[in-house]
Amino acid sequence: MEHIYDMLIIGGGPGGYTAALYGARAGMDVMILEKAMPGGQMIQSHQIDNYPGFEEGIDGFTLAEKMRAGAERFGVRTELTEVLGVNLTGEIKSAETDSGTFYGRTVVIAAGANPRKLGLPGEDRFLSRGIHYCASCDGMFYRGKTVMVIGGGNTAVSDALLLSRVAERVILVHRRDSLRAEKIVQNGLFAAENVEIRWDSVPVELQENADGRLTGAVLKNVKTGEETPVDADGIFVSIGRIPASEMFRDQLDLDDSGYIIADESTRTNLPGVYAVGDIRTKAVRQIVTAAADGAVAVHYAEEYLA
Ligand code: NAP
């Protein structure tokens, strides 16, 4: 007979490891299935200053390692393996992976979301060194500098506003002639003196100097076709996120953007299945809110198992 865990956790980011810590401390037998490296999106951040308890801040890789070690201290196991499919119905749920099938009485889905990329050559090479996907994480590196923000939604506009308080100059680049962001979010933007907006524009090429440092982007006006090089020390890409939820689509309720529908209780439409962190419907996607979800999921999982 295969081993049946009390809790299978898919994804080893802050939501997953907090659920693991709380689950193990509640006496559960917990297994984390993580595709690549514990930490999720946060391992891309060189400096995290908005997770409490680290007065000098901490880099994402170290924080991830601390979360893993803290959970493993209580007996949590991590299997580095890719989940290929799941069966979330019934009392015993299962996850097919490239190293076999794992069984659990409860499943916590903590697979996160990935930023939508521009898809330009060189984008990955400049990751965290000129190209960023999180202004509240990395904006502080651009004090007194010029930054570009790509996008016209709530995130892009909030990011531009946040960066306007740090950077000397902010250039918001949007592909249409009106913003998608809510009016109330837009108002602050129009009041900021150091923000300029390039309407009807998209970046079509990243530019670098002889040392390989990002120096800006060529912007194309989608109406006129005109291309203009624009200098910037950093580019923040805020064009939406793609939740890693495809594999759950047949079994769980998702919203129009692909997020697993779950409220603050983290419960999904299936009993014993919880969605935590960036993969679930929520307003604030941060390390600290993912961690909070992990603790909440265990509360409801304990209730369910009892
Ligand atoms: P979003 O609302 O989907 O906006 C994405 C923006 O990026 C849109 O302006 C879109 O342009 C643009 N875009 C998409 N693909 C692009 C591409 N390939 N090239 C250039 N531009 C591209 O995403 P979001 O701003 O991240 O917000 C996600 C959700 O979180 C939304 O529901 C939002 O309301 C919510 N949110 C709320 C707040 C708040 O303060 N209330 C803050 C942040 C996020 P188009 O407009 O032309 O489609």
Side-chain angles (χ1 to χ4, degrees):
M1 183 60 194
E2 296 284 351
H3 185 79
I4 301 168
Y5 290 91
D6 295 318
M7 180 173 276
L8 275 186
I9 299 176
I10 300 175
Y17 272 108
T18 306
L21 175 66
Y22 275 71
R25 285 174 52 85
M28 292 183 197
D29 185 12
V30 182
M31 168 61 87
I32 292 207
L33 304 173
E34 161 58 39
K35 179 167 64 171
M37 190 184 277
Q41 292 171 74
M42 71 182 174
I43 57 175
Q44 291 175 8
S45 286
H46 293 308
Q47 176 76 10
I48 294 169
D49 290 320
N50 57 3
Y51 189 77
F54 300 95
E55 70 276 33
E56 301 293 330
I58 186 165
D59 70 276
F61 183 81
T62 306
L63 181 56
E65 273 307 297
K66 285 182 179 294
M67 287 187 181
R68 185 190 57 74
E72 290 182 357
R73 180 156 74 98
F74 292 95
V76 170
R77 289 180 54 205
T78 302
E79 181 83 20
L80 292 181
T81 186
E82 182 160 9
V83 177
L84 306 169
V86 287
N87 185 347
L88 301 173
T89 53
E91 265 182 43
I92 307 299
K93 303 155 204 325
S94 62
E96 284 302 325
T97 76
D98 54 15
S99 48
T101 306
F102 291 80
Y103 298 89
R105 291 187 173 81
T106 64
V107 173
V108 173
I109 300 173
N114 303 308
R116 179 173 286 123
K117 295 187 172 182
L118 294 169
L120 295 180
E123 189 171 353
D124 289 339
R125 196 158 40 86
F126 291 117
L127 180 66
S128 295
R129 289 178 179 78
I131 296 280
H132 304 267
Y133 300 92
C134 175
S136 60
C137 313
D138 299 335
M140 299 309 278
F141 301 125
Y142 293 93
R143 188 167 293 285
K145 304 206 169 200
T146 297
V147 292
M148 224 180 252
V149 178
I150 317 294
N154 275 333
T155 303
V157 172
S158 307
D159 285 356
L161 256 177
L162 186 150
L163 290 163
S164 73
R165 295 183 207 115
V166 178
E168 185 176 305
R169 182 173 168 227
V170 178
I171 304 158
L172 181 69
V173 179
H174 183 38
R175 64 183 177 184
R176 292 187 293 123
D177 60 3
S178 67
L179 296 169
R180 175 181 296 278
E182 293 159 37
K183 283 277 173 291
I184 190 154
V185 183
Q186 290 186 30
N187 289 344
L189 184 80
F190 293 129
E193 284 175 0
N194 59 344
V195 180
E196 61 194 81
I197 306 180
R198 299 288 179 118
W199 300 107
D200 301 313
S201 298
V202 289
V204 288
E205 185 189 324
L206 301 175
Q207 297 196 298
E208 61 187 293
N209 64 14
D211 301 334
R213 192 172 60 81
L214 184 89
T215 55
V218 175
L219 301 184
K220 178 178 181 177
N221 184 305
V222 293
K223 285 193 172 152
T224 64
E226 189 187 344
E227 295 193 0
T228 318
V230 176
D231 290 345
D233 300 294
I235 299 179
F236 287 81
V237 181
S238 309
I239 59 173
R241 280 173 185 273
I242 305 173
S245 61
E246 244 345 274
M247 154 190 346
F248 311 109
R249 183 172 286 283
D250 296 343
Q251 298 171 64
L252 296 181
D253 293 342
L254 309 183
D255 75 2
D256 290 345
S257 306
Y259 291 98
I260 297 173
I261 296 176
D263 62 14
E264 294 300 313
S265 75
T266 76
R267 287 178 294 191
T268 67
N269 56 299
L270 291 178
V273 180
Y274 309 89
V276 307
D278 283 10
I279 201 165
R280 83 163 172 93
T281 48
K282 60 183 349 200
V284 182
R285 294 194 169 91
Q286 293 286 305
I287 299 171
V288 74
T289 59
D293 280 0
V296 173
V298 170
H299 170 81
Y300 287 99
E302 275 188 284
E303 233 178 54
Y304 167 82
L305 288 173

